[in-house]
Amino acid sequence: MTWRGARILSTGNSWDGALELTVATDVTTTADGSTREPQTLRALAYPALVGPTHVGDHVLLNTTALD
């Protein structure tokens, strides 16, 4: 599983237990020592599992499918 930290930039639509987010990922260093620059990504949060989320919160993303 691949994880990346990110900051919530904005929230979008919500429905039946899910909330759309726009996030900016943190600068990270990969296993080979290269730097991964921040990206703006769309994400989903499930408030019943992770609690409430707000703009400015730092979150942990499962980016396995993206990576």
Side-chain angles (χ1 to χ4, degrees):
M1 201 171 269
T2 307
W3 298 95
R4 291 180 73 184
R7 181 94 35 212
I8 299 174
L9 300 175
S10 64
T11 59
N13 294 324
S14 64
W15 64 94
D16 201 24
L19 173 64
E20 291 179 339
L21 305 172
T22 300
V23 300
T25 60
D26 298 338
V27 174
T28 56
T29 304
T30 62
D32 67 2
S34 62
T35 301
R36 181 180 286 167
E37 294 301 316
Q39 292 178 279
T40 300
L41 303 172
R42 293 178 10 183
L44 284 177
Y46 301 99
L49 296 174
V50 301
T53 56
H54 306 284
V55 171
D57 286 352
H58 192 262
V59 294
L60 191 59
L61 307 175
N62 174 346
T63 60
T64 304
L66 178 64
D67 294 335

